[in-house]
């Protein structure tokens, strides 16, 4: 089991390299071991591309002249159950069987209906020794976004805001006010590159005119989402620059204008967060960071539609202003980022 953990840990490291590039697919890593030596590695690199198992097998074949014999005496470690269906690529379970790899170690099962145990069953039926559940919690956490979308029919929701030491979100005179330092802002931009989309309310868009991009970080720019009930936002804002796909949820019209997609909701008086998240689910958006404003964050908190909250507290005070959202949950971590304190909270387990 110690060796199993070591190689699965490596597979997890590889899988994380796909962060921000494979959605709505899961991140997956694979490691092939022969006589306690890694002979092949791979990970799912981009949506629609070869899966981790394919890349690991190809890596072994391209590295060793006698790869076929070595594979027939090896163990492949995969963070997620090998697929058993034809999608954009052939089934990875078939690949493992074809190369006569005798041992498969799986981190966790895949809840997707087309897989969900079928890959494991196919391997066992072919006479392959299958071990399931090695570093299972770590493998489940790796793909929490994918699992949330599959099981809850909505994206994984990350709430993010900054508050002052005395608990305020912003001044009450609608002016822009920086609470956090440059280190925190750079970290937030790095986070944006890891998620599919970023959401703000109308007031945040109007006051801050945010670009909602990753100019201080790495990775792709997320899709943008804004809630503008009566379409009151002026078109000169950065949100409408056509640089990335942008969803505008409103009650006026459903219409596409280049990269700007206006989506009218059924009822703006009730269940607005639910309607928005279901529409995003239909758009294959797997994760969303909600960055404000306070009223928008409060709606998602009230309806229990969040999976993680990342709260910065900056070393400044306002004495009066807009109160920061109030949230209840389990503190997962608390770290210092420059002069700021970052606390990460998750909902209490049900």
């Amino acid at each position: 089991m110690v060796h199993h953990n070591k190689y699965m840990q490596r597979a997890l490291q590889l899988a994380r390299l796909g962060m921000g590039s494979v959605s709505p697919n899961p991140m997956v890593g694979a490691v092939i071991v022969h006589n306690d030596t890694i002979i092949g590695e791979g990970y799912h690199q981009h949506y629609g591309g070869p899966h981790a198992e394919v890349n690991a097998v190809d890596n072994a074949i391209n590295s060793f002249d006698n790869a076929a014999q070595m594979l027939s005496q090896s163990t492949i470690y995969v963070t997620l159950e090998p697929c058993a269906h034809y999608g954009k690529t052939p089934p990875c379970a078939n690949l493992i069987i074809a190369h006569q790899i005798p041992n498969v170690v799986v981190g966790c099962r895949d809840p997707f209906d087309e897989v969900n145990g079928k890959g494991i069953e196919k391997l066992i039926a072919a006479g392959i020794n299958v071990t399931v559940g090695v570093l299972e919690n770590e493998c489940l956490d790796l793909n929490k976004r994918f699992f949330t979308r599959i099981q809850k029919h909505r994206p994984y929701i990350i709430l993010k805001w900054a508050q002052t030491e005395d608990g305020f979100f912003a001044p009450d005179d609608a002016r822009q006010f920086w609470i956090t330092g440059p280190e925190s802002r750079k970290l937030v931009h790095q986070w944006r590159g890891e998620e599919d989309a970023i959401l703000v309310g109308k007031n945040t868009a109007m006051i801050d005119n945010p670009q909602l991009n990753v100019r201080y970080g790495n990775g792709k720019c997320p899709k943008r989402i804004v809630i503008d009930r009566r379409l009151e936002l002026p078109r000169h804002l950065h949100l409408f620059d056509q640089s990335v796909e942008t969803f505008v949820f409103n009650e006026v019209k459903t219409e596409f204008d280049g990269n700007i997609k206006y989506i009218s909701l059924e009822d703006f008086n009730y269940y607005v967060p639910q309607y928005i998240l279901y529409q995003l689910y239909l758009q294959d958006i797997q994760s969303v960071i909600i960055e404000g404003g306070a009223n928008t964050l409060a709606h998602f908190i009230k309806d229990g539609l969040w999976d993680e909250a990342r709260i910065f507290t900056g070393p400044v005070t306002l004495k009066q202003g807009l109160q920061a959202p109030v949230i209840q949950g389990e503190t997962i971590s608390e770290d210092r980022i420059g002069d700021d304190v970052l606390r990460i909270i998750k909902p209490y387990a049900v």
Side-chain angles (χ1 to χ4, degrees):
M1 183 58 74
V2 173
H3 287 322
H4 281 345
N5 287 355
K6 177 175 72 172
Y7 294 124
M8 189 60 74
Q9 190 62 57
R10 175 57 181 162
L12 282 163
Q13 290 174 348
L14 291 166
R16 292 188 187 99
L17 297 176
M19 173 72 79
S21 301
V22 302
S23 178
N25 282 353
M27 293 176 281
V28 184
V31 173
I32 303 173
V33 178
H34 178 265
N35 289 341
D36 208 25
T37 299
I38 294 176
I39 63 168
E41 295 185 332
Y43 67 97
H44 185 33
Q45 298 180 15
H46 58 88
Y47 177 66
H51 288 186
E53 298 94 323
V54 175
N55 288 329
V57 168
D58 286 349
N59 181 224
I61 290 172
N62 292 330
S63 301
F64 299 94
D65 292 335
N66 61 335
Q69 179 184 354
M70 297 174 77
L71 288 170
S72 69
Q73 301 167 352
S74 295
T75 299
I76 183 168
Y77 293 81
V78 190
T79 55
L80 186 68
E81 176 182 2
C83 60
H85 67 294
Y86 284 87
K88 290 187 176 294
T89 60
C92 290
N94 290 12
L95 175 79
I96 293 169
I97 294 167
H99 286 282
Q100 300 179 343
I101 301 174
N103 303 295
V104 178
V105 179
V106 176
C108 64
R109 288 171 58 128
D110 186 339
F112 182 54
D113 284 343
E114 296 291 334
V115 187
N116 200 8
K118 297 180 180 69
I120 293 169
E121 291 170 4
K122 180 176 282 193
L123 294 171
I124 292 173
I128 292 172
N129 178 44
V130 181
T131 302
V132 182
V134 174
L135 297 186
E136 183 175 31
N137 288 337
E138 291 87 341
C139 292
L140 290 169
D141 185 70
L142 171 74
N143 278 310
K144 56 194 175 185
R145 297 162 181 81
F146 173 73
F147 295 141
T148 297
R149 183 179 177 276
I150 294 297
Q151 295 169 334
K152 298 184 178 182
H153 294 172
R154 66 164 176 80
Y156 185 89
I157 301 301
I158 300 168
L159 309 179
K160 193 282 296 182
W161 73 84
Q163 60 189 36
T164 64
E165 285 187 335
D166 51 351
F168 290 102
F169 183 85
D172 54 12
D173 56 2
R175 62 186 167 91
Q176 193 175 51
F177 181 81
W178 285 108
I179 293 175
T180 57
E183 297 88 352
S184 296
R185 291 197 286 276
K186 184 174 181 180
L187 178 58
V188 168
H189 282 232
Q190 189 66 42
W191 288 343
R192 290 175 178 176
E194 297 172 354
E195 311 304 335
D196 284 357
I198 178 170
L199 182 151
V200 296
K202 184 195 73 174
N203 290 340
T204 297
M206 184 75 79
I207 295 168
D208 294 342
N209 189 18
Q211 297 180 56
L212 303 183
N213 58 20
V214 294
R215 61 194 180 278
Y216 300 137
N218 299 310
K220 69 175 187 352
C221 289
K223 297 177 181 181
R224 301 178 298 200
I225 306 160
V226 64
I227 305 171
D228 183 12
R229 180 173 184 171
R230 299 179 181 86
L231 297 182
E232 297 170 314
L233 291 173
R235 290 301 299 264
H236 65 75
L237 296 178
H238 293 307
L239 280 171
F240 301 107
D241 63 11
Q242 297 279 355
S243 60
V244 297
E245 191 173 12
T246 300
F247 299 91
V248 183
F249 287 100
N250 67 92
E251 66 176 7
V252 178
K253 65 181 180 179
T254 294
E255 179 181 295
F256 292 176
D257 175 17
N259 263 338
I260 312 301
K261 297 184 176 181
Y262 297 91
I263 299 178
S264 177
L265 299 182
E266 297 176 32
D267 188 341
F268 239 92
N269 294 312
Y270 303 99
Y271 307 115
V272 170
Q274 289 86 343
Y275 285 137
I276 288 174
L277 294 188
Y278 186 65
Q279 288 293 328
L280 297 179
Y281 164 78
L282 295 177
Q283 296 288 334
D284 280 340
I285 290 177
Q286 193 160 261
S287 61
V288 179
I289 299 181
I290 300 178
E291 292 200 8
N295 187 52
T296 299
L297 288 160
H299 278 299
F300 282 85
I301 293 170
K302 180 179 73 70
D303 290 345
L305 292 172
W306 63 284
D307 301 286
E308 189 176 328
R310 302 174 182 179
I311 306 166
F312 290 97
T313 300
V316 295
T317 58
L318 273 174
K319 298 185 180 177
Q320 64 179 24
L322 185 62
Q323 290 284 342
V326 176
I327 194 166
Q328 300 294 324
E330 177 185 0
T331 297
I332 303 300
S333 64
E334 187 166 305
D335 299 289
R336 183 162 290 279
I337 310 296
D339 293 329
D340 309 319
V341 173
L342 168 63
R343 186 162 56 112
I344 297 181
I345 296 175
K346 291 194 174 182
Y348 289 120
V350 179

